[in-house]
Amino acid sequence: MTNVALVGDIGGTNSRFGVLELGSMDVRDVEVLKNDNFEGLEAAISAYVTKHGITELAAAAVDVAAPVDREHITLTNRAWTFSAESLRKAAHARRFRLLNDYEALAWSLPHLAAADLVQLGGEAHSEPLMKVVLGPGTGLGMAGLAPLPGGGWMPVPGEMGHVTLPIVTAEELALKDKIMGKDQFSEVEDVLTGPGLFALYTAIAGTPKLHTPEAVMKAGLARTDSAAVKTLDHFMTFLTRLAGDAAMALQARGGVYLAGGIAPSLADQLKAPKYRAVFEQKGRLSEVMRHIPLYVITDPFPAFKGCAAALNAK
């Protein structure tokens, strides 16, 4: 009887798959499939298992960029609708687990090696302590990971992208008013996402010379456009302030981890002391924050480790 399991990380643009032996974290046969080439997630899974000659799996775990607390799930950024059972059948798996994408990232945290991370201050801890992972992409995801009294871990899904944008300065308030309008509510995802990055750039530039979030990121990192440079500075300030808010709210002494497609590109810039200072800036409790580590996840497939951990925890 096979002991092989499938792991999958599904976004709006790409579906990433690999296989491993149950009980292991060593993923092999990794492939990235373009979602435009398939009518649905079942078809993408079928294509992968067929290519690799898989006719039976002991288990499968797939994470998706969507809420999974319902029978029929639709991806947030693609019109694919499916159920856990339809995916299990497509994978030919005896056991199946469907996860939210940030739930999977939370599961991965204890299994990330030092080489998978860039540490931005604080003190790493070996004992099990509360952890948080969050990150900007098309949206902003977030989850906690709580240690259980008898050993093991429990993911705690969250919705940090829809809390109030953490504005401190008059300049930040003026930028918010340009983006959302005066006296209007502004949530984190209005700024801390790919589209939000471009909205922030447009507010700063007035007449923008760049026309995509990718162009703003590239110009800001290369320092070839002053408005793009200022945009990245504000973006990183909001991101580290939000990370500090998450750390304080959950007392995440085990660390805050920045994930997603944008954060790794900013890892070197985030090493600047000013951003660590923003993370720690919590008034009378700033001393508590000084000890909390902040990380950027640089592993290209961290969710695979999370899917594997979730399967191994069953």
Side-chain angles (χ1 to χ4, degrees):
M1 185 176 291
T2 182
N3 194 45
V4 175
L6 173 78
V7 289
D9 177 32
I10 315 303
T13 303
N14 297 311
S15 293
R16 295 159 283 269
F17 298 107
V19 292
L20 48 71
E21 299 292 323
L22 280 178
S24 168
M25 288 282 167
D26 297 325
V27 180
R28 63 182 188 273
D29 298 334
V30 173
E31 290 199 31
V32 180
L33 305 182
K34 292 291 185 184
N35 291 349
D36 284 345
N37 295 332
F38 302 96
E39 292 184 358
L41 182 49
E42 295 91 344
I45 292 174
S46 293
Y48 177 87
V49 298
T50 299
K51 178 179 177 179
H52 291 275
I54 296 170
T55 58
E56 181 187 15
L57 288 166
V62 171
D63 75 80
V64 298
V68 296
D69 57 345
R70 59 208 69 186
E71 182 178 354
H72 297 286
I73 297 101
T74 300
L75 288 184
T76 301
N77 293 301
R78 178 169 288 269
W80 281 2
T81 298
F82 46 84
S83 68
E85 180 60 14
S86 71
L87 301 185
R88 185 195 67 77
K89 289 180 178 178
H92 307 297
R94 295 195 300 272
R95 177 163 61 90
F96 187 85
R97 186 153 189 185
L98 185 61
L99 307 167
N100 169 263
D101 54 350
Y102 269 80
E103 181 185 2
L105 286 171
W107 273 113
S108 79
L109 300 182
H111 305 284
L112 296 174
D116 300 324
L117 302 166
V118 174
Q119 184 171 347
L120 307 170
E123 302 166 6
H125 300 277
S126 57
E127 66 269 34
L129 296 169
M130 184 72 190
K131 303 173 186 288
V132 172
V133 58
L134 60 91
T138 305
L140 187 135
M142 175 262 185
L145 188 70
L148 296 173
W153 298 89
M154 181 179 71
V156 183
E159 285 290 353
M160 201 75 175
H162 304 287
V163 304
T164 305
L165 184 68
I167 293 168
V168 171
T169 69
E171 182 181 10
E172 291 169 355
L173 180 60
L175 288 171
K176 188 280 300 180
D177 286 348
K178 287 183 180 180
I179 295 168
M180 297 302 298
K182 190 174 177 60
D183 299 327
Q184 297 299 309
F185 167 71
S186 183
E187 66 181 23
V188 162
E189 287 195 356
D190 292 329
V191 168
L192 286 178
T193 59
L197 176 72
F198 186 71
L200 186 59
Y201 169 75
T202 301
I204 290 169
T207 303
K209 300 176 183 177
L210 307 170
H211 303 289
T212 66
E214 294 79 12
V216 174
M217 178 70 73
K218 182 178 179 180
L221 293 175
R223 305 188 70 82
T224 57
D225 182 287
S226 60
V229 171
K230 191 171 183 180
T231 296
L232 291 192
D233 178 50
H234 278 291
F235 190 91
M236 290 185 287
T237 297
F238 280 126
L239 180 58
T240 48
R241 189 180 294 144
L242 184 73
D245 287 349
M248 181 58 66
L250 293 176
Q251 287 296 287
R253 298 172 189 266
V256 179
Y257 296 73
L258 302 179
I262 296 175
S265 299
L266 299 173
D268 286 342
Q269 284 67 34
L270 286 166
K271 292 177 182 177
K274 64 179 290 186
Y275 301 115
R276 178 69 202 189
V278 169
F279 174 79
E280 294 179 1
Q281 193 176 49
K282 289 292 176 279
R284 290 171 292 168
L285 292 185
S286 293
E287 179 60 32
V288 173
M289 298 294 295
R290 292 192 183 101
H291 302 285
I292 296 178
L294 177 64
Y295 302 99
V296 177
I297 299 175
T298 55
D299 183 327
F301 301 108
F304 284 168
K305 291 184 173 70
C307 289
L311 285 175
N312 294 337
K314 293 295 285 184

